[in-house]
Amino acid sequence: MAITLAPLPFAQDALAPIISPETLQYHYGKHHQAYVNNLNKLIDGTPLAEKSLEEIILAAEGGVFNNAAQVWNHTFYWNGLKPGAGEPQGKLLELIQRDFGNVAKLKEELAAAATTQFGSGWAWLVLDDGKLKVVKTGNADLPLKHGQTALWTIDVWEHAYYIDYRNERPKYTQQVLDNLLNWDFAAANLAKSA
Ligand code: MN3
């Protein structure tokens, strides 16, 4: 049972000009695809080939973990992006107000995590022991490995923004937070965890 590359949940030009079709062509078409291909090569003929992606992530270390986690992280990242996603509502909004004060404060914490992650990695909104938190992880690391439920993420590897923003990670981060944050996806992940 090979791991497959999930289709993008939007057209390649849907996120422009925040994230260009060229970035998606490379980030999804080359980087994400390479993680899938590498993982399948590494697990082929081993007991892990029969496991789900989440089971592989929880069981593996080293190269298998890195590639499996990056497959999962990117699919999760794509699903968290949506043009014109509006504002959080309902239970998610309640928890944001309880744990951060307001939506602007949450975005400030996400921006700070994304811009201060040293080197490659990810910034996340997670549910940890019933509480919303912003965390950052290095390289392929992810909340699942730490007993946390991921609600949303932003990729801060250079390949995520270098074509469109060159070295300006803060600008990329702010544009994504202000224009592409898919609150419905975060709310759906919160509902699943209840
Ligand atoms: Mn990436």
Side-chain angles (χ1 to χ4, degrees):
M1 183 179 64
I3 301 294
T4 54
L5 180 66
L8 279 179
F10 38 70
Q12 287 225 348
D13 60 357
L15 307 182
I18 314 300
I19 295 175
S20 68
E22 189 184 1
T23 288
L24 289 173
Q25 188 188 332
Y26 281 86
H27 195 182
Y28 172 74
K30 304 289 185 189
H31 291 274
H32 195 179
Q33 179 72 65
Y35 295 127
V36 171
N37 295 347
N38 291 340
L39 178 61
N40 282 322
K41 269 184 226 155
L42 288 166
I43 64 175
D44 185 38
T46 78
L48 288 176
E50 306 305 317
K51 304 286 187 190
S52 71
L53 185 58
E54 287 81 3
E55 288 171 328
I56 296 170
I57 288 168
L58 288 169
E61 301 293 339
V64 174
F65 169 77
N66 285 336
N67 283 284
Q70 285 294 76
V71 172
W72 193 96
N73 290 346
H74 283 86
T75 302
F76 192 81
Y77 169 62
W78 306 132
N79 281 288
L81 301 176
K82 182 179 161 185
E87 292 294 325
Q89 294 173 354
K91 178 78 174 169
L92 178 60
L93 179 59
E94 275 174 42
L95 293 189
I96 290 170
Q97 289 169 336
R98 186 195 69 186
D99 295 335
F100 296 96
N102 55 50
V103 176
K105 191 68 178 49
L106 164 60
K107 284 188 183 178
E108 273 175 38
E109 287 206 24
L110 281 167
T115 53
T116 60
Q117 168 55 33
F118 186 79
S120 296
W122 303 80
W124 306 83
L125 174 63
V126 303
L127 189 67
D128 185 7
D129 214 7
K131 196 173 184 314
L132 293 187
K133 287 182 189 167
V134 168
V135 297
K136 52 188 176 180
T137 60
N139 297 318
D141 194 17
L142 73 173
L144 179 64
K145 204 75 169 175
H146 304 279
Q148 300 164 328
T149 302
L151 303 185
W152 188 81
T153 195
I154 180 168
D155 188 344
V156 298
W157 285 56
E158 282 187 349
H159 65 222
Y161 58 86
Y162 222 81
I163 291 171
D164 298 324
Y165 300 89
R166 297 302 173 192
N167 59 318
E168 296 186 88
R169 189 194 288 185
K171 193 171 166 190
Y172 152 75
T173 298
Q174 202 57 53
Q175 288 289 326
V176 169
L177 290 173
D178 288 343
N179 297 293
L180 296 180
L181 203 167
N182 185 348
W183 294 107
D184 292 341
F185 178 67
N189 290 322
L190 178 66
K192 268 192 287 183
S193 75

